Amino acid sequence: MRRGLMLFSLILLILMVIFILTETLNTGGTSKEAQLFALGYRVEDQILLKQRFSDDAIQQIIKNHIHKDRLFPYLVHPYFNLHRLNQYEKARETLQLSPFASINYTHLPIALHFTKEDDPSPLPAPFKQTPLVLVNKQFYLESDFEPTDLVYLKDINVVVPGLHERNQLKREAYIALKALFQEAERQGLSLYVLSGYRSYHRQQVIYDQLIEANDDNRMISAKPGHSEHQTGLSVDITTPATNYRLTPDFEKTPEGSFILNYAHRFGFIIRYPKDKECITGYLYEPWHLRYVGKEIAQFIHDHRLTLEEYILYYVPIPESGY
């Protein structure tokens, strides 16, 4: 079967070469195929162009003298738009992005500098209702947004017992967190949930209190609608060793070390890692976990990425945004 396919492909290539040579001779070297050949597109490249682009688009490639070396790096992105090639190239050069990331940035500006507090144009959170929903200082959830599948935490240690809003997560995140806590318990460790889901109203109350106390708290507190807790996928955890407080000292405890080495195995990432403040917009929070699923969490952990970086470099964003 494989040998037959290889033979068919070889015959197709030979026929294409013969066609190009014939057309070149018959038209004095001005056929579409010949012009593409002059721009670096070999026979197999031209087959790909015909599969990917309309005849009008191919004519634009020829008219604008777009060489293969200029075009092909961008074709790894499924939503490449030929008419925006100059914008992709500008983003790539200016921000030192990969071709894939330059397309994502052009379609939806999630670059590494987009977390500025004074950004004049916040945008609705992309990938809403999925584990990749992106909420930060630029992307927000509406005041009436409430995640589906919210459940109260059962059989999990909580700092404030009872049916409180803070003791809720999306079901998928809860199941994963329960497994994580069970593994910690097997290792003789003690983890507690301080805060899970947080409604828009609750965010407003917390933010106003913190900013009134100290304006510098903007680096640790999100504006209403800009808190990941509203997704139902984020959770703040603590331990008796830190007197149930949220503190960077959590990383120095056995529980903190456990989270650093095990959280990704259960689908969680440390959402605001150390030395990534310029990307996330927040100070290091070893206690703040975000559920994204096991496969993505493992990848983010292995490559030392933030969620912003993962989406920018690896998740295809459509031309229309998301």
Side-chain angles (χ1 to χ4, degrees):
M1 183 68 176
R2 179 180 293 181
R3 184 175 299 176
L5 289 174
M6 292 177 63
L7 180 61
F8 176 77
S9 299
L10 179 60
I11 293 173
L12 184 61
L13 287 174
I14 293 173
L15 290 176
M16 281 290 294
V17 170
I18 293 173
F19 177 75
I20 290 173
L21 291 175
T22 301
E23 286 295 303
T24 302
L25 290 173
N26 291 340
T27 61
T30 59
S31 73
K32 179 172 63 177
E33 288 76 14
Q35 291 178 78
L36 286 171
F37 199 82
L39 289 170
Y41 300 95
R42 298 174 298 178
V43 174
E44 59 269 31
D45 301 326
Q46 295 191 32
I47 294 174
L48 177 60
L49 288 181
K50 290 178 182 294
Q51 293 172 342
R52 189 77 181 264
F53 298 105
S54 66
D55 288 340
D56 287 343
I58 292 176
Q59 289 294 349
Q60 286 298 314
I61 292 172
I62 295 171
K63 179 181 178 181
N64 293 305
H65 305 287
I66 302 175
H67 195 275
K68 172 190 171 181
D69 293 343
R70 181 182 170 196
L71 177 66
F72 266 42
Y74 294 94
L75 298 190
V76 297
H77 199 296
Y79 299 111
F80 171 80
N81 184 332
L82 181 64
H83 299 294
R84 304 189 73 176
L85 178 59
N86 289 336
Q87 292 176 278
Y88 302 151
E89 291 178 323
K90 182 178 179 181
R92 183 182 179 187
E93 179 180 358
T94 304
L95 301 172
Q96 298 299 299
L97 299 172
S98 68
F100 184 97
S102 69
I103 294 177
N104 269 356
Y105 174 77
T106 303
H107 291 185
L108 182 66
I110 52 172
L112 305 186
H113 63 277
F114 75 141
T115 52
K116 295 178 180 177
E117 184 73 29
D118 59 353
D119 189 289
S121 55
L123 300 169
F127 311 115
K128 199 157 43 177
Q129 301 292 5
T130 79
L132 278 181
V133 57
L134 182 62
V135 179
N136 56 27
K137 289 186 177 180
Q138 182 169 350
F139 296 103
Y140 66 88
L141 293 170
E142 295 80 3
S143 59
D144 61 351
F145 175 85
E146 182 176 310
T148 59
D149 266 359
L150 278 178
V151 297
Y152 284 101
L153 307 180
K154 298 179 180 179
D155 304 319
I156 286 184
N157 295 328
V158 294
V159 174
V160 183
L163 300 179
H164 303 291
E165 172 185 291
R166 66 199 297 169
N167 291 338
Q168 295 181 92
L169 285 175
K170 282 179 68 71
R171 182 179 299 277
E172 185 178 2
Y174 159 67
I175 292 172
L177 186 69
K178 184 175 179 179
L180 177 66
F181 272 42
Q182 288 173 342
E183 177 59 31
E185 188 175 354
R186 279 193 288 270
Q187 296 190 28
L189 304 174
S190 182
L191 291 173
Y192 281 74
V193 170
L194 181 62
S195 181
Y197 170 66
R198 190 176 298 160
S199 66
Y200 187 95
H201 173 72
R202 181 61 181 160
Q203 293 173 58
Q204 184 75 67
V205 171
I206 293 174
Y207 183 78
D208 289 346
Q209 289 175 345
L210 286 172
I211 297 306
E212 183 178 353
N214 188 338
D215 194 63
D216 290 340
N217 283 333
R218 296 176 191 275
M219 283 297 288
I220 63 172
S221 180
K223 289 181 177 179
H226 291 265
S227 170
E228 270 210 333
H229 286 278
Q230 193 176 347
T231 67
L233 296 168
S234 292
V235 59
D236 292 333
I237 59 175
T238 186
T239 179
T242 61
N243 198 25
Y244 304 102
R245 293 178 299 114
L246 301 180
T247 168
D249 289 339
F250 176 73
E251 72 167 356
K252 300 175 183 178
T253 67
E255 286 78 8
S257 178
F258 168 82
I259 288 300
L260 185 64
N261 292 294
Y262 278 85
H264 60 280
R265 304 183 190 185
F266 294 84
F268 291 93
I269 60 172
I270 295 177
R271 181 63 177 89
Y272 308 120
K274 187 179 294 186
D275 300 325
K276 294 281 190 173
E277 291 87 351
C278 63
I279 297 173
T280 65
Y282 293 100
L283 298 176
Y284 173 46
E285 295 187 0
W287 63 83
H288 183 105
L289 299 184
R290 163 64 190 274
Y291 180 78
V292 293
K294 289 183 180 180
E295 184 177 347
I296 294 174
Q298 184 72 53
F299 188 91
I300 287 176
H301 176 269
D302 291 346
H303 293 81
R304 299 177 59 82
L305 301 173
T306 61
L307 184 58
E308 284 85 0
E309 291 170 302
Y310 176 76
I311 291 175
L312 180 67
Y313 284 100
Y314 299 103
V315 181
I317 295 175
E319 169 70 13
S320 59
Y322 45 85

